[in-house]
Amino acid sequence: MNKKIGLFFGSFNPIHVGHLIIAEYIVEHSDLKELWFVVSPCNPLKKKQSLLGERQRLYMVNLAIEDDVRFRASDIEFKLPQPSYTVHTLTYLAEKYPDKEFCLIMGEDNLDCIEKWYNYQFILDNYQIYVYPRDNYKTEKKRILPNIAYVNAPKMEISATMIREGIKEKKSVRYLMPEKVAKYVEEMGFYRN
């Protein structure tokens, strides 16, 4: 039987408690056995401003999840051609791990703009997608497809942008990130400028 693994793609710049709460909720309330945080070197739909190096972001994800066997940090996109296209990553993973079944985890805002993704129809046709709600986000059209599952995960108002801005403004963001990540960010002086 295939092992079902959820792929949670993101910049994780930095990873924060909102990411972890959503990940845990989805693993605990779905048929997924494991979840991989796929650290994206560069999202083709986002600007690269204030993006820490990929290895530093991967390290922070590892710090955040190191004690949880359900989670894994993945650098798979570091080895693939840039920019990172989800469809290429999925194809590569399917070839590398034929015994595993991969599913996508995304916010409803991402699902709403999936037509902008490279080869999006292939993803919609071939992969199960778990969609979590985004706070203050109202979708114009709710997609009803057999492979899309809407998960009633907690809505998170925490964002990496909020954390970076807080650090820049010399505000405390201590409880918005796992303790080890917050300590590392402070020690390294990340996001201050």
Side-chain angles (χ1 to χ4, degrees), residues 130-162:
Y130 293 87
V131 181
Y132 61 88
R134 295 300 297 253
D135 200 51
N136 298 323
Y137 186 82
K138 293 271 188 243
T139 184
E140 294 298 316
K141 54 188 187 266
K142 195 162 191 167
R143 291 177 189 272
I144 307 299
L145 294 171
N147 60 339
I148 294 179
Y150 289 89
V151 182
N152 195 24
K155 291 183 180 179
M156 295 286 119
E157 289 189 45
I158 301 167
S159 72
T161 302
M162 171 199 302

Side-chain angles (χ1 to χ4, degrees), residues 54-189:
E54 59 198 34
R55 293 278 166 210
Q56 292 161 321
R57 291 180 286 120
L58 179 70
Y59 180 73
M60 288 191 287
V61 171
N62 273 310
L63 278 177
I65 64 170
E66 66 186 355
D67 298 326
D68 197 324
V69 296
R70 302 168 299 172
F71 298 149
R72 174 175 160 184
S74 174
D75 65 355
I76 200 80
E77 289 195 335
F78 298 4
K79 303 167 179 108
L80 298 175
Q82 301 297 311
S84 306
Y85 292 109
T86 302
V87 70
H88 293 160
T89 306
L90 292 169
T91 302
Y92 180 81
L93 287 169
E95 290 170 4
K96 186 173 169 95
Y97 302 102
D99 60 324
K100 298 183 187 329
E101 179 185 349
F102 292 101
C103 307
L104 284 165
I105 294 166
M106 68 174 69
E108 60 188 340
D109 54 330
N110 280 319
L111 182 63
D112 223 17
C113 71
I114 200 164
E115 285 89 0
K116 294 179 182 175
W117 293 25
Y118 180 74
N119 250 355
Y120 77 92
Q121 195 60 53
F122 178 82
I123 296 170
L124 289 175
D125 293 342
N126 294 285
Y127 289 90
Q128 184 166 7
I129 303 173
Y130 293 87
V131 181
Y132 61 88
R134 295 300 297 253
D135 200 51
N136 298 323
Y137 186 82
K138 293 271 188 243
T139 184
E140 294 298 316
K141 54 188 187 266
K142 195 162 191 167
R143 291 177 189 272
I144 307 299
L145 294 171
N147 60 339
I148 294 179
Y150 289 89
V151 182
N152 195 24
K155 291 183 180 179
M156 295 286 119
E157 289 189 45
I158 301 167
S159 72
T161 302
M162 171 199 302
I163 292 169
R164 292 192 307 271
E165 287 172 358
I167 291 169
K168 196 173 179 179
E169 295 167 6
K170 298 183 169 88
K171 308 271 187 220
S172 173
V173 292
R174 175 179 170 189
Y175 298 113
L176 300 177
M177 296 175 281
E179 188 176 347
K180 291 177 184 175
V181 174
K183 186 176 178 190
Y184 180 67
V185 167
E186 175 68 25
E187 285 172 359
M188 298 300 288

